[in-house]
Structures are given as structure tokens and as C-alpha cells.
Amino acid sequence: MTQMNMVQAINDALRFEMKRDDRVVILGEDVGKVGGVFRVTAGLYDEFGDDRVIDTPLSEGGIIGTAIGMALYGLRPVPEIQFSDFIFPAYDQIVSELAKYRYRSGGEFPCPMVIRTPVGGGIRGGHYHSQSPEAQFIHVAGLKVVCPATPADAKGLLLSAMRDPDPVLFFEPKRIYRAAKGEVPDGDYTVPLGKANVVRGGEHVTLVTWGAMLYEALDAANKAAAEGVQVEVIDLRTLWPLDIDTIVASVKKTGRVVVVHEAPRSCGLGGEIVSLINEKAFLHLEAPPKRVCGFDTPFPYTLENEYLPLSHRIVPALLETARF
Amino acid sequence: MTTDTLESVTHGTSRRLPDDALAPDVVRILSPDGTLLADEPGVSDEEAVALYRAMARTRIIDERAVLLQRQGRIGFHIGSLGEEATVLGSAYALRGTDWLFPCYREFGAALLRGMPLQRYFDNLYGNASDPAKGRQMPDHWCYRDARVGSVSSPIGTQITQAVGFAWAARIRRDPLVALVYFGEGATSSNEFHNGLNFAGVFKTPNVFLCRNNGWAISVPTERQTASESFAAKGVAYGVPAVRCDGNDVLAVLQVTRQAVERAARGEGPTLVEALTYRMSGHSTSDDPTRYRPEEQLSPWGKLDPMHRLRRYLEARVGWSDGKQQALEEQVAGELKTVIETAEKSSAPALETLFDDVFATLPWHLQEQRAELLSGPRAKGH
């Protein structure tokens, strides 16, 4: 075990897998010599050379389009999109091509790759360095979507994603790139995709969240506990296909649920989670499910802490739900 | 080719082929009447016959597919009428180890590479025998065994993919070349720009085969670019470009072969603009009379790629009406068998709807599959 932050843990996973599997290549803007604008790929260019850690022209469509070609050939590309706000020029390649290759070819052309991209707010990045577009990819059949909240999970989930037979969008919560620290297992360490983590036990309210908001959720849970409300906090880790069994088991126990995410509320993943709970645990519910989310506005610069579903907004939602 | 003929040919609504076709940089080996313009044809007589047979087979299949659509037996067809020299000549230039990334008009190229005709028709019918289980509309096939990629409908997306594929091969020291097809309309797309830009920067072993057939559905070439030619677009990317008469199969074969050899030598990508003409509508869903004057077709008819090669073969190897008839009967026989077989096959099994979304079926698709299987049935498949 080694103490690491998220950036170090992801770097460790990339290095481990590049040593283990020579088909793994990294490509993207500034990923090579400078090691990425967040330094996530630091040192890899020197270690593996410019055939495997590739600084590309400034074009997300070109990065993902060529990465698809590499995957079809048999490499295991790990393209980086510098900010998930910049992923949209590649949306056609991801939605129309990457997600559909296996299906449209009857399995003849699987297209495994991991698209790594920083996500979320909290770094004073304004509209274009802060958004959380996960739902736009979950809605596309054929993509898996992952968002770790701890360094150990970042490593374990990334190694699983790089070995997965399907394309994975790997969202890295940039707000906690360096703030989240923890013990990370050395060497080969995987966390299975599709398994949530119950981070904190509690019998009164279930709180489902992921990414950077996990820490706000835990803070809110502690404050709720001071008010006598015990909150069970679930870190989803894999956003799609999500771990429905863990969510339903918890809601059947508590009868109450709050979902917290940074993305805008309407048609966000929280809406889908609440629908699934209604379908699978309706008769166990003691209160209306609640969502604490970003607003249906563009992500603001100056007022970002008002926009984000931080602890001060989560606490009243927990108490209201518990006392309904 | 006489000047009279050339001047009567219009390309699109105002851009004229004569200007293009008379340009000294346009490679041509066979004149429209089948006369050899070069010192050497670049192919043996046997190869010329093989090319002719492949082109003729493609056209016969094409015409039958249109008929099947008109009869309501298949839902859609998009073909290569008039563009057979471009499609077959370029595919013929590839070596066995090379890869082909199709647009959607190149079923003839896939068949030439060895895709079974039955497989093609199973796609046209979207039946249970279709390896893709009827998930894609007609003319959206793939065939890995013959190193033929997978057709999709969005324009230009295959271009960057072919670049990534060739790039990966080079990283792995695998000496293959990847050829990618697209129409001139696709040169307006993001991925044409991305593909050529990446290919130029990384010197990937690619051949970019632009079928300039004059039309992107109803939009003529002059609405795609103000550039003098589509080949000229290669300049800014550092990708050498060459134009050829796309109705001259020997010219298409020669320039593509040179581009393949150049890529295989590690000298990087080439853009080939083949000047041809779409003699049909965009697809069976299109009505070209709404935007294209019929009088444009007849001069192009005189430049027909089949006619030109046939005249050549008549002079070289005595290609005759008898041989032609035997060829047509042979293809008709093939078609009879594959159509009968395709029509005997049923619709794909319901549960296949959920396969191949992912490598294994996640819980939510298991639930939805159970819901479909236990629910009421739709009609019309």
C-alpha cells in the first residue's frame, strides 16, 4: 500500500497496464512530453516513448476517431479528452461509431477502449471546464461509464476498464484530483465494474452519489447524524450499468432516498435512479425520493458553489426526507 | 475523347467535367471508346478480364437490388451505378494483407475482396442468417475475414478510423495499408479534415479514395467546395494528391496501386480523387429528377466505365456477345440462388436484439429482454 492522491493512483494504473500489456497506447492533447495538463500521464512518455504516449493535433474528433481505428486493429487505446466539456467534437465518433461497433457488426468488430476525461466543477473553470455530461453517454446503448471517488478505486476501476471488452468512459473528478488521498494497493489491483460501495452505513436515509460529491455527502451525513439521522452513503463508482442491487437493498432497509449529483437535475442520472427505485422498491418507500443536483442552467463561474450540490444543500434534503 | 464529347458533359449543375477531365494532371489510360492512351495498360489481359467481370457482376447485382426494392422485397438499396471503375479498380489495387474501410456504395469492392454474395444479400434482407442479425439497414455490411471494415451511415467517420487503424499497424510494425472510401461530399465533413490532418502529421500508411461522383444526394460539387478540385485539399495537410478518370478502371487501378506502394514503402498517405458520375439517384429513396436535369445523364452515359473496358477487351481478347451473355447468365444464376436462400430465412430471433450491445448482457438488458419475450408481438418483420 502506498499513500497516493487521485492523479498518482491513475498514473500508477496507466503505468502498470502499459508494462503488462504492450497493446495499451495513450493519445491526446498534451499527454506526452508535458504529461497532461493535470500531469496524470507524467513520466509515461519518457518511459514508453512516443509510439505509445502520443501528443496529437488539437482535435477531439480526430483523437477518438483514430483511437477507434487503433482498437479495431487490436490495440487497447486509452485516449484522453483534456476536459469532458471538450468531448463534444468527438460525440459523433463516440455515439455513432464506438458505442455501436460491436452491435452493428454482430460481434465481428469489438471496439474496447477507455476514454479518460476530467469531469465536474469546483476548480473555478466556468462553463467549459466544469460540466458533468455523464447522462449524455449513459443514454447511448453500448457504453460503460465509470467515475471513481477515491485513489484506490481510481486505480482499481481504471485497470478493470482497460481490460474490459467494451468501451468505457472514465470520468475523473478533477476537483479531488489532488485533494482526495488514501492508501492504494501496490501492483495489480482491480475493482470490478458495476459494483457500488457502501461507504457509510445507516438505517434512516439512503444517499446515492459518486465522484467529488461523495465527500460532500459524507460531510452532510455527519451533520445529519448530529441531528439523529443515520445516513447510508452509497458511492456508485460505476455509473452504468449501475449496481441496482446495492441501491435497492439499501432503500428497502431505509425506505428513504436522496440522490446527489453535479449534473443538471432534469434527465440526469438521478432521475433514472429514482425511477428504478420506484419500479423495484415502491412499497418500501416512506418518503418521496429527493434529488440534490446542479441546476438546469449552464455551469456558472462566480456562483459555482451555489450551483454545486454541496453539503449545505444536502443536509436539509436528508433531514426533510428523514422526517417526512 | 473528343472535345465535342467533353463540352457536352456537365458535372453538377455548373462545374464542368471537361475542365477537370482535360486537365493534364488527370490520369487516364483508356479513352471513352476503349483506345489505349498510355504505352502500357498496366495490367495483363487476364487481369483486365477479371476487372471487367467484377464490374459487370457489380452492375448486375446493383440493378437487381434496385428491382428487389421496387418490388418491396428489400427495404432499401444504395449502389454504384456508373462508378464501378472507381470502386473495383481501387479495390483491385489492394494486396491481400491490406484493409479496406468502406463508405456505403462499395459492396462491389467487398465482393471482390471475397465477401460471399449470400452474406451481402442476407444483409439486404436483414434476416436471421445476416451475421449482424438484421440490425443494420441494407448496404451496411462488414467482413473481417476479407479485411473489409464496417459500413455506417454518418458521413466521413470511417476516414479517421482508417487512419487510426493504419497508424496502429505501423506502431506494431505490420506492413499493411488501409484504403478508405468516401464521396466528395464527405470532404466537407469534420472527419475528412481530422483524418487527413492526422495522416499527414503521422505519415500513416493510408490511401484516401474520394469518389467524386458529382452529387451528395441533391447537392452538386460546387456547393461542397470553392476549391479548384477535391484533390487540392490534400495540399494543406501535406498529403500528396492525384486525380484520375474515375470511369477508367485502368487509371484508377494504376494511381491506387502507386498510392498503396508508396504507403507500403513508409512514405505516407495519398489522396486519390476519382472523377466519376452517379448515374442513379442517391439511393432507392431518392428522386433525382427533382434536382438533376435528365440531359446530364446521356453525355455521362457515353463515358460509361463498362462500355469503355468492354471495347478495350473486344480489341484485346475478342470479348464477344457470347461471353457477355454467359457472364450475365452466370451472375443471374448466382443471384437466383442467394435471393431464394435469403428469402427462405426468417427474421432474426427476438432475443438477438439484445446481444452484442455489450460483450455480456448486463442486468438492465436481461430485464428488457425478458419484457420483450413475454410481451405482445409486433407485425411487419
Side-chain angles (χ1 to χ4, degrees), chain A residues 67-69 71-72 97-99 101-102 109-114 165-168:
Chain A
I68 289 172
L72 296 176
E97 303 288 329
L98 179 63
Y101 247 108
R102 178 190 293 280
F109 288 95
C111 203
M113 76 166 68
V114 181
D166 295 308
V168 180

Side-chain angles (χ1 to χ4, degrees), chain B residues 118-236:
Chain B
Q118 188 64 59
R119 183 173 169 129
Y120 175 54
F121 272 78
D122 288 336
N123 163 254
L124 292 182
Y125 278 86
N127 61 25
S129 309
D130 173 22
K133 305 290 180 285
R135 293 169 188 149
Q136 288 236 72
M137 66 189 297
D139 286 294
H140 290 57
W141 30 262
C142 64
Y143 191 51
R144 182 180 269 282
D145 284 356
R147 302 190 165 211
V148 173
S150 159
V151 178
S152 71
S153 307
I155 292 301
T157 46
Q158 75 278 18
I159 301 175
T160 29
Q161 293 167 15
V163 172
F165 192 95
W167 188 5
R170 208 198 54 197
I171 289 170
R172 303 294 279 186
R173 312 280 183 263
D174 177 350
L176 65 79
V177 171
L179 179 145
V180 57
Y181 289 105
F182 50 92
E184 85 289 345
T187 66
S188 301
S189 73
N190 298 340
E191 298 303 271
F192 172 82
H193 163 68
N194 287 331
L196 267 80
N197 192 42
F198 275 60
V201 169
F202 296 103
K203 286 188 81 171
T204 57
N206 283 109
V207 179
F208 299 102
L209 204 298
C210 176
R211 284 184 294 92
N212 176 2
N213 66 13
W215 295 96
I217 304 187
S218 68
V219 178
T221 52
E222 63 269 24
R223 280 285 170 121
Q224 296 299 340
T225 186
S227 178
E228 278 300 302
S229 71
F230 293 99
K233 294 191 170 198
V235 174

Side-chain angles (χ1 to χ4, degrees), chain B residues 82-123:
Chain B
E83 301 178 48
E84 295 89 350
T86 296
V87 172
L88 277 301
S90 52
Y92 198 84
L94 293 176
R95 306 162 303 172
T97 49
D98 295 330
W99 271 76
L100 185 157
F101 282 76
C103 172
Y104 41 58
R105 288 193 196 283
E106 296 91 9
F107 73 90
L111 295 175
L112 181 76
R113 296 280 291 177
M115 183 167 79
L117 190 61
Q118 188 64 59
R119 183 173 169 129
Y120 175 54
F121 272 78
D122 288 336
N123 163 254

Side-chain angles (χ1 to χ4, degrees), chain A residues 22-23 25 27 51 54-57 59 61-63 65-66 68-70 72-73 75 92-93 96-97 99 101-110 141-144 165-166 240-244 276 280, chain B residues 99 101 119 131-132 135-136 142-145 148-152 154 157 160-161 163-165 167-169 171-174 176 191 194 197-198 201-202 352-353 355-360 362-364 367:
Chain A
D22 69 359
R23 299 171 304 165
V25 295
L27 67 161
D51 262 358
I54 305 164
D55 278 325
T56 66
S59 168
I63 292 165
T66 53
I68 289 172
M70 290 177 170
L72 296 176
Y73 179 80
L75 299 188
D92 191 21
Q93 287 286 1
S96 305
E97 303 288 329
Y101 247 108
R102 178 190 293 280
Y103 192 73
R104 80 186 201 205
S105 66
E108 210 167 280
F109 288 95
L143 299 174
K144 294 179 179 174
D166 295 308
W240 202 259
L242 54 68
D243 183 353
I244 189 64
L276 288 166
K280 293 174 188 297
Chain B
W99 271 76
F101 282 76
R119 183 173 169 129
R135 293 169 188 149
Q136 288 236 72
C142 64
Y143 191 51
R144 182 180 269 282
D145 284 356
V148 173
S150 159
V151 178
S152 71
T157 46
T160 29
Q161 293 167 15
V163 172
F165 192 95
W167 188 5
I171 289 170
R172 303 294 279 186
R173 312 280 183 263
D174 177 350
L176 65 79
E191 298 303 271
N194 287 331
N197 192 42
F198 275 60
V201 169
F202 296 103
T352 65
L353 186 66
D355 296 339
D356 301 320
V357 179
F358 297 102
T360 52
W363 66 268
H364 67 291
E367 285 188 0

Side-chain angles (χ1 to χ4, degrees), chain A residues 244-272:
Chain A
I244 189 64
D245 293 344
T246 296
I247 294 171
V248 168
S250 178
V251 172
K252 282 184 175 172
K253 179 175 72 177
T254 62
R256 298 160 200 271
V257 64
V258 174
V259 185
V260 176
H261 62 62
E262 292 187 38
R265 183 199 317 244
S266 298
C267 291
L269 179 55
E272 183 61 33

